[in-house]
Amino acid sequence: MNEADTCRTYVVPRLQAAGWEQDPHSITEQRYFTDGRIVVAGTRTARRKQKKADYLLRYTRDKALAVVEAKAEYKAPGDGLGQAKDYAEVLGLKFAYSTNGTGIVEFDFLAGTETNLDVFPSPDALWSRLKSSESITQEQEAQVLAPGYHAPGRTLRYYQEVAVNRAVQAVVQGKRRLLLTMATGTGKTETAFQICWRLWNGRWNRDGRPGKPRILYLADRNILVDDPKDKTFAAFGDARIKIEGGNAPKSREMYFAIYQALAGAEGRPPLYREYPPDFFDLIIVDECHRGSARDDSSWREILEYFKPAFQLGMTATPLREDSRDTYRYFGGALYTYSLRDGIEDGFLAPYRVHRAFTPWDAAGWRPSKGEVDRYGREIPDEEYQTKDFERVIALRARTEAVARHLTAHLKKTDRFAKTIVFCVDQEHALEMRQALVNLNQDLVRDHPNYVERVTADEGDIGRGHLSRFQDVESRTPVILTTSQLLTTGVDAPTCSNIVLVRAINSMTEFKQIIGRGTRVRDDYGKLYFTILDYTGAATRLFADPDFDGDPVQATEEAIDDVGETVPGSEVEVEPEAPIEEDPDDGGVIIDEEDRPRRKFYFDGDHVEVVGEVVYDLDAEGKKLAVVKLSDYAGQKVRTLFPLAADLRRRWADPAQRSEIIDMLFERGIDFDTLASATNQPDADPFDLLCHLAYSAPLRTRRERAEMLRRDRTDFFDQYGPGARAVLGELLDKYAEHGTAQFVIPDVLKVPPISERGNVMEIAEHFGGGESLRLAVHQLQTLLYES
């Protein structure tokens, strides 16, 4: 009896007998809880296998208690326990079971015990054990189990469910400051909504009074509160209100505000003081790493004023030096779901990194003696580096060089791939927009909004451009230039290119920026994105030991005076060490629009990108030095097949060959890309692999086909003229196009073989269809005999 028979015959009836299908309890069968990591190989993508639990046992719809893994009857009952324990830990469950239908093995994470059972425990028995271990009182139980909001298209992912359950339980049990760390793009807003909904629905409040809680959703930008209020939190209906315009409404239950509105206008008492300190029961602080927890922050004053409220911080930033204040204030994270977790599970898009640089970035720029800028001011005689560009000295030629290189990249890939260009300040974003417009006049004529700037200066017009950029159905704008405005809180599902033209020293800000591209949209073909780094920021920050989401590929190249890649400019380098952050600004670049002009503006000279490097990382996300794809492929082949003879034996079998191709693709090796990278388009994939892995002689497909014809005439002589002709034509097709030409019956339906009749008529030359398949199978075996 196989696994499916075991499940159908034994497991489900025994779970039903234990009461797991009696409302409100339920069994979730064959639950896929990840999407499968996205593997990028060349221009192709594929997903790895999803993780799937055989059964999830739910005490209520929103509260799972255990995972069950079923194995075939002939296996031992505990054979699936390792997998069940692994899944239980990922899913935040305390009980794991393995069964072969007759025996049951339980692992209890609470007690640390492994026990053989005759029957599954009942829902009440498991819940009672969990309640006792986690000190959930009878009074708290109803609020801990309060139902969530359920609607089509709003099913929580497993990690969101874990985060919601932990936060709700912590609040109900009296933990006053909490922190959830979830990578950008993993649904923090939906998680916050479900937490609020369950506490509101369960009528929890800070002091146990009758009625629903008053909740404040707090952030530092209007876009971070307007979108949640109007979209994600819409189910709260008339209970919602935004605190703005100097008014302090007090008649609702779900409040939204930005810090600046609560602080009030200068010269007036702070608006937040119009509320009693104990007015709010819960405050949700979105993007709480953005200064709210610093001791000297005015925002901290607001949180301290509302000290009686429970306070839940939401951040995408794990603990590190530039987020230490956040963790000191809110405490250690109640739950963490990292960028690496999201990429590994397939919920976030992996990415490639192209590092490009101009001579001025590589070696610095120094003015000639007496050089004056655009306004006639003499430029100080110093050597200026990348960190100075557009902050101390604005170099128009560098901006135009980057624009040319970016345009060339889009022309090589997709000119309508949505792109965000992060510039130093608003002025720099304006000059970059102008350069890009002038380089793309052919598209701008038909699409006037092809390139737009979105900064604070644009106001409502900029927000309109951003809204259309975010709309997956809107083709334009394609390129947005910005400085700080789009670093956080902007959901752009189809953004395919993140362009860095300003130095970034903060890991926090870096993660926020690349988070603009991590959304996955399978339906629009958005499965990975590209970072074009013109400053070296990505190179440095990938080298940081705290970085937790490595790229699948990174390249560095030089670009010349017309913005094209310099042939042979690829270099092998190690990622640079991260540079120290400026203690004065926490690593965050500050716009200086309102300060007196201090930059110098140099409009002369001409420069181009002169170098580009590709950093390759394997499909497991492990960091590598910059290596050639050929070296990487050879190393992977040797790891999988230490002996060339083993690879040859398995490659000769069509079924096993397909498995090998899939194995290599999962490791980021695509044969078309490999053949192109090694400039061997006519090589047989097997010969190319053996050449790279074992230094074997490299043969073309045509050479291998001719060897077979010459050395194994006995094979062909056993067939009649018609069959020999078909086999010869199959070899010709292989020599021209590769092993895909051996697929039967498809290849029999295309010329010249199809000219010999239909499939049945061609098969008759071999004595029938089965004999034809055996002949083609033997042909492939002999092809790789030597």
Side-chain angles (χ1 to χ4, degrees):
M1 186 176 288
N2 61 27
E3 185 176 313
D5 293 332
T6 299
C7 292
R8 185 170 51 253
T9 306
Y10 294 117
V11 180
V12 172
R14 298 185 78 174
L15 289 171
Q16 291 171 333
W20 284 101
E21 280 199 337
Q22 297 174 14
D23 191 64
H25 320 307
S26 63
I27 304 168
T28 304
E29 297 186 50
Q30 305 299 309
R31 166 70 188 277
Y32 288 98
F33 59 90
T34 70
D35 281 356
R37 182 187 173 100
I38 298 166
V39 177
V40 182
T43 57
R44 297 172 56 210
T45 56
R47 283 190 180 271
R48 285 187 179 169
K49 192 175 180 180
Q50 297 170 269
K51 289 184 179 179
K52 179 187 70 175
D54 288 339
Y55 300 97
L56 287 180
L57 307 184
R58 295 186 174 276
Y59 190 71
T60 66
R61 185 173 182 176
D62 301 289
K63 185 68 175 179
L65 295 184
V67 61
V68 179
E69 285 301 307
K71 296 300 178 184
E73 186 182 22
Y74 63 83
K75 294 189 175 183
D79 276 3
L81 192 62
Q83 185 176 356
K85 288 168 62 178
D86 178 55
Y87 287 176
E89 288 191 278
V90 170
L91 297 170
L93 307 178
K94 300 303 181 184
F95 305 100
Y97 296 89
S98 174
T99 179
N100 64 352
T102 55
I104 302 168
V105 180
E106 174 193 81
F107 188 85
D108 182 341
F109 286 88
L110 301 173
T113 58
E114 185 175 318
T115 311
N116 294 318
L117 304 175
D118 295 321
V119 296
F120 286 104
S122 69
D124 286 335
L126 279 194
W127 176 240
S128 178
R129 287 156 66 180
L130 185 66
K131 277 201 308 179
S132 175
S133 175
E134 298 189 350
S135 303
I136 301 173
T137 67
Q138 200 66 34
E139 294 73 25
Q140 294 169 346
E141 180 176 352
Q143 293 174 345
V144 168
L145 297 176
Y149 179 82
H150 297 281
R154 294 189 69 170
T155 302
L156 291 181
R157 293 170 174 168
Y158 81 86
Y159 60 85
Q160 292 174 307
E161 189 173 315
V162 174
V164 170
N165 278 319
R166 289 191 184 178
V168 168
Q169 182 172 324
V171 168
V172 170
Q173 292 187 306
K175 186 173 174 60
R176 306 192 74 85
R177 289 184 185 174
L178 311 93
L179 182 68
L180 291 176
T181 302
M182 298 172 65
T184 300
T186 57
K188 290 193 298 294
T189 306
E190 181 66 26
T191 301
F193 163 75
Q194 291 288 352
I195 293 168
C196 294
W197 182 267
R198 285 178 58 177
L199 293 171
W200 188 72
N201 206 30
R203 292 181 174 269
W204 166 88
N205 54 60
R206 178 178 45 79
D207 51 12
R209 68 182 183 276
K212 295 183 175 181
R214 289 187 290 262
I215 302 172
L216 172 63
Y217 189 94
L218 191 60
D220 70 332
R221 298 183 181 185
N222 279 306
I223 193 171
L224 296 179
V225 297
D226 291 343
D227 261 17
K229 180 180 77 72
D230 297 337
K231 298 174 183 176
T232 310
F233 284 75
F236 278 94
D238 291 340
R240 296 167 298 159
I241 195 167
K242 183 180 180 183
I243 301 171
E244 58 185 339
N247 298 314
K250 299 183 179 67
S251 61
R252 307 296 177 90
E253 292 157 350
M254 190 70 230
Y255 297 80
F256 297 83
I258 60 173
Y259 298 105
Q260 297 90 326
L262 287 179
E266 190 174 349
R268 293 181 57 187
L271 184 63
Y272 65 82
R273 292 189 176 276
E274 294 191 23
Y275 294 94
D278 62 354
F279 182 80
F280 296 110
D281 297 289
L282 173 67
I283 298 177
I284 305 282
V285 187
D286 191 23
E287 306 290 358
C288 64
H289 61 276
R290 294 176 58 82
S292 62
R294 288 206 297 266
D295 291 338
D296 59 350
S297 169
S298 60
W299 303 342
R300 174 71 173 267
E301 292 180 15
I302 297 173
L303 297 182
E304 291 286 2
Y305 178 79
F306 291 117
K307 189 174 183 178
F310 284 61
Q311 297 176 8
L312 169 60
M314 308 282 288
T315 182
T317 306
L319 175 62
R320 46 179 294 113
E321 196 55 44
D322 56 359
S323 62
R324 193 165 298 279
D325 290 328
T326 298
Y327 282 77
R328 186 181 298 117
Y329 183 82
F330 289 102
L334 196 63
Y335 181 69
T336 297
Y337 189 76
S338 69
L339 176 64
R340 176 173 283 130
D341 294 330
I343 293 174
E344 184 60 36
D345 288 340
F347 296 127
L348 296 181
Y351 49 94
R352 290 174 158 166
V353 180
H354 293 260
R355 165 75 171 108
F357 53 91
T358 70
W360 295 347
D361 291 278
W365 178 85
R366 188 169 186 171
S368 302
K369 187 175 182 179
E371 194 92 61
V372 295
D373 77 348
R374 180 187 306 169
Y375 300 99
R377 298 174 299 172
E378 183 172 339
I379 302 173
D381 184 12
E382 299 174 16
E383 188 170 284
Y384 298 93
Q385 305 294 332
T386 301
K387 63 183 177 63
D388 304 313
F389 298 155
E390 306 306 324
R391 295 178 61 133
V392 179
I393 179 74
L395 301 172
R396 177 174 289 174
R398 177 176 176 269
T399 297
E400 293 174 346
V402 169
R404 278 191 293 273
H405 186 263
L406 173 57
T407 298
H409 172 80
L410 293 174
K411 286 180 177 178
K412 286 188 293 186
T413 53
D414 177 3
R415 295 186 75 183
F416 282 90
K418 291 191 175 180
T419 301
I420 302 178
V421 184
F422 288 94
C423 302
V424 173
D425 55 25
Q426 298 190 50
E427 183 179 49
H428 188 209
L430 184 64
E431 293 204 355
M432 183 64 71
R433 183 193 69 185
Q434 185 178 65
L436 287 166
V437 166
N438 291 333
L439 288 165
N440 292 275
Q441 295 177 36
D442 57 327
L443 292 180
V444 174
R445 275 195 297 268
D446 297 327
H447 306 281
N449 295 326
Y450 181 78
V451 187
E452 294 293 350
R453 182 181 75 154
V454 176
T455 63
D457 281 358
E458 273 76 25
D460 289 341
I461 293 175
R463 282 189 284 275
H465 293 320
L466 175 58
S467 179
R468 288 188 292 276
F469 183 85
Q470 293 174 285
D471 183 359
V472 295
E473 299 295 340
S474 178
R475 201 174 189 194
T476 59
V478 174
I479 305 173
L480 296 185
T481 66
T482 187
S483 56
Q484 289 286 331
L485 191 61
L486 304 186
T487 57
T488 188
V490 176
D491 185 2
T494 56
C495 181
S496 297
N497 297 298
I498 300 295
V499 183
L500 306 178
V501 199
R502 64 175 168 87
I504 301 167
N505 300 333
S506 163
M507 177 67 78
T508 300
E509 186 182 19
F510 178 62
K511 283 190 174 183
Q512 291 290 331
I513 285 175
I514 65 173
R516 302 312 105 214
T518 53
R519 271 70 169 182
V520 174
R521 284 301 297 258
D522 294 75
D523 49 343
Y524 285 85
K526 163 66 188 308
L527 292 167
Y528 68 93
F529 68 103
T530 299
I531 299 174
L532 289 103
D533 177 16
Y534 295 95
T535 67
T539 310
R540 289 192 303 272
L541 293 167
F542 289 146
D544 191 311
D546 290 336
F547 187 73
D548 66 350
D550 306 324
V552 294
Q553 185 185 60
T555 68
E556 183 170 314
E557 69 179 27
I559 44 183
D560 61 19
D561 289 348
V562 291
E564 295 182 356
T565 301
V566 176
S569 64
E570 182 175 320
V571 297
E572 299 191 7
V573 300
E574 293 282 353
E576 303 168 24
I579 63 177
E580 293 295 320
E581 297 170 7
D582 184 348
D584 294 332
D585 64 12
V588 178
I589 297 171
I590 302 169
D591 248 341
E592 300 171 350
E593 298 298 303
D594 297 328
R595 300 182 185 179
R597 184 188 298 133
R598 66 179 184 85
K599 275 197 292 188
F600 294 91
Y601 298 82
F602 182 68
D603 298 337
D605 280 357
H606 186 84
V607 71
E608 295 296 338
V609 174
V610 294
E612 184 167 335
V613 174
V614 180
Y615 299 94
D616 286 313
L617 289 97
D618 68 17
E620 282 75 37
K622 303 290 176 61
K623 294 182 181 180
L624 303 175
V626 180
V627 296
K628 294 179 180 178
L629 179 59
S630 56
D631 294 338
Y632 171 69
Q635 184 267 324
K636 284 298 175 186
V637 171
R638 287 191 299 274
T639 301
L640 294 169
F641 307 100
L643 299 176
D646 185 32
L647 175 60
R648 184 187 307 279
R649 178 181 56 79
R650 294 184 61 181
W651 189 272
D653 181 280
Q656 294 190 65
R657 184 193 311 140
S658 179
E659 292 175 3
I660 293 170
I661 292 171
D662 289 343
M663 288 167 58
L664 292 174
F665 186 85
E666 281 198 355
R667 287 156 177 80
I669 301 169
D670 169 62
F671 285 113
D672 290 339
T673 305
L674 187 60
S676 176
T678 56
N679 197 28
Q680 297 293 341
D682 298 324
D684 183 278
F686 170 77
D687 289 302
L688 184 54
L689 292 178
C690 287
H691 177 67
L692 297 176
Y694 316 111
S695 300
L698 188 60
R699 294 190 181 99
T700 66
R701 294 188 299 272
R702 194 164 301 281
E703 287 172 336
R704 188 165 281 282
E706 292 307 317
M707 285 174 55
L708 178 58
R709 284 191 174 101
R710 183 185 69 241
D711 298 340
R712 294 306 305 263
T713 55
D714 58 319
F715 169 70
F716 295 97
D717 289 346
Q718 65 182 307
Y719 298 104
R724 286 201 303 271
V726 171
L727 293 173
E729 288 167 346
L730 280 174
L731 272 183
D732 290 338
K733 281 188 166 294
Y734 155 76
E736 187 68 27
H737 302 292
T739 55
Q741 304 307 309
F742 292 132
V743 177
I744 302 295
D746 298 1
V747 71
L748 306 180
K749 299 175 183 178
V750 295
I753 302 176
S754 61
E755 295 169 2
R756 299 182 180 278
N758 60 35
V759 173
M760 296 294 292
E761 291 169 337
I762 294 170
E764 284 305 315
H765 290 296
F766 294 83
E770 186 59 30
S771 297
L772 167 62
R773 290 184 183 278
L774 288 173
V776 174
H777 188 284
Q778 189 177 5
L779 177 70
Q780 295 179 72
T781 301
L782 295 174
L783 187 64
Y784 295 106
E785 194 174 49
S786 61

